[in-house]
Amino acid sequence: MGRAGASHLILIHGEPRILVDAGPGSFVRLGESKLSLDKIDIVLLTHLHSDHVSELPGMIKARAVALHRPIRFRVFGPEGSGKQGQITYFPSTRRFMDLMFGREGAFAYLPDFAGRITFETVDLPARTGAQDKPQVIFDEQGLTIRAIPGHHGDAPAVAYRIDYGGKQIVFSGDMDEKGLDNLRKLASGASLLVFNSAVLDPPKAPPILYSFHSPPGAIGRVAAEAKVSAVLLAHLSPATEQNRQEVEDSIHASYSGPVSFAEDKLLTRP
Ligand SMILES: [Zn+2]
């Protein structure tokens, strides 16, 4: 569809500070946006599918080269999946960062290449349970970030809420309907809910896709129940992109707030 993979930047006082996912192609879009990388020090990974994280080395390298000063990144992401048969399909986020930037990693040179880079990586709980509650993972100078386990098929996943200056943005990550109870708790009263919109209502998508993504009808219900002020649909697929009206109508069957569709380089205010 000519779009970059999933990636979002949170700007605070006009400066990008938080990177949420880093899908393929997002680095070029960042450059086209003429946004500075200089203040980015928080990385929130919703899950470790390649279309959400594969641009990370490029982003980190550019950030280091631009500044030539020591940088400490705080990286948050899901715990690992454990072994499935002989294979660990999803390492923990710490292991994932180690596989890229650790001493034995594919890009072991990078932490010493320009300014010294340090990663403080935190693995977050990623298995849903009835008792889940949003956990504060970062709280400094009025910026508060909360996380709760998401659900995205067999991929460990985390949803995030960012609160600053009286505004709240929630990222579902890729989420199937098993994650919606948690999302409802996390998104309660938020100014903006950014939700993945990759499938049409059943039975219009192959059944397997519903084990990875939530259809528009379910997005509308959770948005209404959480009383969010607005919904931004991201991670669009050809199916949802080409049937925007149908998607919007289905969401509006239960949710009365504004619904918009993300574009690459879209700048939005919650
Ligand atoms: Zn995914």
Side-chain angles (χ1 to χ4, degrees):
M1 304 300 288
R3 286 173 176 269
S7 187
H8 305 270
L9 279 172
I10 307 295
L11 280 63
I12 294 185
H13 300 299
E15 295 239 43
R17 171 86 195 274
I18 305 170
L19 174 68
V20 182
D21 289 343
S26 53
F27 181 55
V28 158
R29 294 290 186 262
L30 185 68
E32 290 168 353
S33 304
K34 308 274 186 251
L35 290 170
S36 164
L37 291 162
D38 283 0
K39 298 262 162 61
I40 296 176
D41 63 349
I42 302 171
V43 178
L44 307 178
L45 301 177
T46 62
H47 63 293
L48 303 185
H49 275 161
S50 58
D51 59 328
H52 288 252
V53 295
S54 58
E55 203 84 311
L56 214 48
M59 295 258 195
I60 288 186
K61 189 234 175 198
R63 168 81 167 85
V65 169
L67 204 63
H68 274 281
R69 255 190 276 129
I71 305 164
R72 186 176 61 140
F73 284 104
R74 284 196 270 173
V75 181
F76 299 89
E79 62 189 353
S81 64
K83 269 203 170 12
Q84 288 149 298
Q86 293 301 305
I87 303 175
T88 301
Y89 281 115
F90 301 99
S92 70
T93 303
R94 285 179 67 108
R95 171 94 177 117
F96 171 75
M97 294 300 287
D98 234 38
L99 287 166
M100 286 196 294
F101 308 114
R103 284 169 169 272
E104 306 283 321
F107 309 112
Y109 78 96
L110 207 49
D112 297 313
F113 182 66
R116 173 76 203 160
I117 306 175
T118 317
F119 296 103
E120 275 179 27
T121 306
V122 178
D123 293 337
L124 298 170
R127 285 172 188 80
T128 51
Q131 306 306 316
D132 291 343
K133 288 196 189 78
Q135 301 292 333
V136 173
I137 59 167
F138 183 93
D139 193 10
E140 282 179 19
Q141 297 172 340
L143 173 62
T144 308
I145 305 175
R146 291 177 176 82
I148 199 165
H151 202 281
H152 183 40
D154 64 345
V158 177
Y160 296 96
R161 172 183 176 126
I162 300 160
D163 286 57
Y164 186 79
K167 302 285 185 185
Q168 310 83 28
I169 307 182
V170 172
F171 290 90
S172 66
D174 289 2
M175 182 177 280
D176 62 65
E177 290 190 65
K178 289 182 183 161
L180 296 182
D181 281 342
N182 274 1
L183 187 78
R184 192 180 306 111
K185 297 175 200 170
L186 185 71
S188 178
S191 328
L192 181 66
L193 169 61
V194 183
F195 206 101
N196 64 111
S197 178
V199 292
L200 298 172
D201 284 320
K204 290 190 175 166
I208 179 75
L209 288 185
Y210 294 115
S211 61
F212 289 100
H213 294 281
S214 301
I219 299 172
R221 285 191 294 277
V222 77
E225 287 160 5
K227 297 187 167 58
V228 301
S229 302
V231 171
L232 176 65
L233 301 175
H235 201 295
L236 304 175
S237 67
T240 53
E241 178 87 280
Q242 288 158 3
N243 295 280
R244 288 183 177 212
Q245 196 57 52
E246 183 182 332
V247 169
E248 205 177 321
D249 290 348
S250 174
I251 292 174
H252 278 147
S254 42
Y255 175 67
S256 55
V259 174
S260 51
F261 292 80
E263 302 282 347
D264 284 16
K265 299 186 276 180
L266 173 74
L267 184 62
T268 187
R269 280 169 209 277

